[in-house]
Amino acid sequence: MHYVDHGSGGAPACMQIAQGPLPVPAADEVLIRVAAAGINRPDILQRSGKYPPPADASPVMGLEVAGEIVAVGAAVTGWHVGDSVCALTPGGGYAEYCKTPATHCLPIPHGLSVVEAAALPETFFTVWANVFERARLQAGESLLIHGGSSGIGSTAIQLARAFGAGKVIVTCGDQAKIDYALALGAHVGINYKTQDFVAETRAATDGRGADVVLDMVGAPYFQHNLAACATEGRIAQIAFQHGAKAELNMQELMLRRLTWTGSTLRARPKAAKAAIAVALLQQVWPRFQTHPDALRPHIHAKFALNSIVEAHQMMEAGTHLGKVVLVMTG
Ligand SMILES: NC(=O)c1ccc[n+]([C@@H]2O[C@H](COP(=O)([O-])OP(=O)(O)OC[C@H]3O[C@@H](n4cnc5c(N)ncnc54)[C@H](OP(=O)(O)O)[C@@H]3O)[C@@H](O)[C@H]2O)c1
């Protein structure tokens, strides 16, 4: 099969198409003929050597795919050869074939193409686990999402709206990204380069602050996120693009009974990811049918496998709105 080899890593040009044997699924795994694979920012980090894959994962990039099951391990129940699925993968998605635990597969949601389905797993697993499970967003509550036009941000907007969030507030770096986030269902867009997101979040919530904050920026936003939170607010930390170390004013945390939590999906045990898949299947997948206009991944650009360099360059430039997807040709 063909796959993307990034060698010892580096700039996008380090990637080339290589040929190798088909992965062999273990007893609890399925082998998927990949129709499309989503590209996510963690792939950029992996390629540049800042996010090494877990020891037992494929060294090939790619955390999500959609396609057809072509082989099942001996212990797999519930999935069969010929089934169409989208799946979270431990790695290996930038390839014509990819193996993953059967429990990390989901059916292609009602009304979605296989390419759209490939853009779901990484952001849906992440947003569900952090915004809904860890930070416990409830209907009627307000959510502040940093990076509203990102793959993660656009999923967070859509899920928050589909689950009845009272007010969805986003930060973005320019007006076109704000307009995109508003079109997806955000109520308020804040330009983080020209506006004070703490003041704007408070203004948008009658002075209360946000019940939940989803942050991918890190250290420079830490104290500001505390200030932007409502009493009893929860902050979910999913990345630290601008720094991992910050000072904490514990008084603010205690006086307003705030919760700061976070997680990283790839490092979680198989069973934890399987539990998220079950929650998505039961609670989110039916909403693709009941909320077809609210829940639909936005594919900004599709690239063939042999255009992977251009795909990564686009994501690094940060000009995309929503998701970038690789479509297999061979
Ligand atoms: N913890 C986990 O399990 C997990 C899983 C998946 C992804 N992630 C992380 O989540 C983040 C998003 O991933 P993605 O694939 O959706 O990436 P992406 O589409 O490339 O998005 C990156 C986003 O970061 C925003 N950003 C950068 N600096 C900012 C600032 N100062 N203020 C507000 N927003 C800022 C960008 O906003 P502008 O373009 O408007 O500047 C952009 O929307 C990445 O950091 C990724 O590593 C974490």
Side-chain angles (χ1 to χ4, degrees):
M1 68 165 188
H2 294 100
Y3 68 97
V4 175
D5 181 7
H6 64 287
S8 53
C14 74
M15 297 182 288
Q16 50 190 353
I17 304 303
Q19 261 188 295
L22 291 192
V24 177
D28 64 344
E29 291 179 331
V30 298
L31 182 67
I32 298 168
R33 179 165 49 230
V34 178
I39 296 180
N40 295 281
R41 186 142 299 253
D43 306 344
I44 308 291
L45 298 175
Q46 178 174 342
R47 192 204 71 225
S48 38
K50 295 177 194 145
Y51 191 46
D56 56 349
S58 164
V60 176
M61 291 175 287
L63 300 170
E64 60 184 356
V65 299
E68 182 184 335
I69 293 180
V70 292
V72 295
V76 170
T77 54
W79 292 114
H80 304 95
V81 170
D83 287 345
S84 292
V85 291
C86 55
L88 189 72
T89 76
Y94 288 11
E96 289 173 330
Y97 292 83
C98 176
K99 64 176 187 158
T100 197
T103 51
H104 299 176
C105 294
L106 286 157
I108 293 184
H110 179 84
L112 261 56
S113 70
V114 71
V115 174
E116 289 172 318
L120 297 176
E122 178 69 10
T123 63
F124 273 67
F125 276 68
T126 301
V127 171
W128 185 259
N130 287 281
V131 173
F132 291 87
E133 291 184 340
R134 304 193 73 75
R136 307 181 307 282
L137 182 72
Q138 305 296 316
E141 288 194 325
S142 54
L143 171 65
L144 168 63
I145 302 163
H146 291 300
S149 66
S150 63
I152 291 277
S154 49
T155 294
I157 294 168
Q158 294 193 358
L159 280 177
R161 289 301 307 265
F163 281 80
K167 194 146 274 183
V168 178
I169 304 157
V170 299
T171 64
C172 300
D174 64 37
Q175 191 57 43
K177 290 176 178 175
I178 289 176
D179 291 343
Y180 164 77
L182 295 175
L184 282 184
H187 298 98
V188 178
I190 302 168
N191 184 329
Y192 69 77
K193 294 183 178 160
T194 58
Q195 292 176 286
D196 172 352
F197 77 78
V198 176
E200 297 298 331
T201 300
R202 292 209 162 269
T205 53
D206 300 325
R208 286 186 70 248
D211 296 296
V212 172
V213 178
L214 177 63
D215 186 58
M216 57 180 75
V217 176
Y221 278 11
F222 182 60
Q223 205 66 47
H224 301 294
N225 284 339
L226 296 179
C229 266
T231 298
E232 304 274 1
R234 291 88 69 195
I235 301 167
Q237 196 74 48
I238 59 160
F240 45 84
Q241 294 182 68
H242 296 297
K245 292 186 181 168
E247 249 181 46
L248 163 65
N249 179 347
M250 294 184 201
Q251 193 177 31
E252 185 141 28
L253 192 83
M254 292 159 65
L255 282 175
R256 293 195 295 115
R257 300 181 297 284
L258 306 178
T259 302
W260 180 44
T261 181
S263 71
T264 181
L265 182 62
R266 199 174 190 186
R268 296 187 73 177
K270 258 192 229 177
K273 295 178 192 172
I276 300 170
V278 169
L280 288 171
L281 182 64
Q282 293 176 345
Q283 299 185 59
V284 177
W285 258 225
R287 292 185 193 229
F288 281 100
Q289 228 164 331
T290 56
H291 298 65
D293 298 329
L295 273 188
R296 181 170 282 273
H298 179 257
I299 311 295
H300 180 81
K302 293 183 271 189
F303 289 90
L305 191 63
N306 60 11
S307 297
I308 184 63
V309 172
E310 288 84 353
H312 269 220
Q313 283 168 336
M314 174 182 276
M315 176 153 278
E316 279 190 77
T319 50
H320 60 289
L321 302 171
K323 295 283 297 195
V324 180
V325 173
L326 274 184
V327 179
M328 304 305 154
T329 49

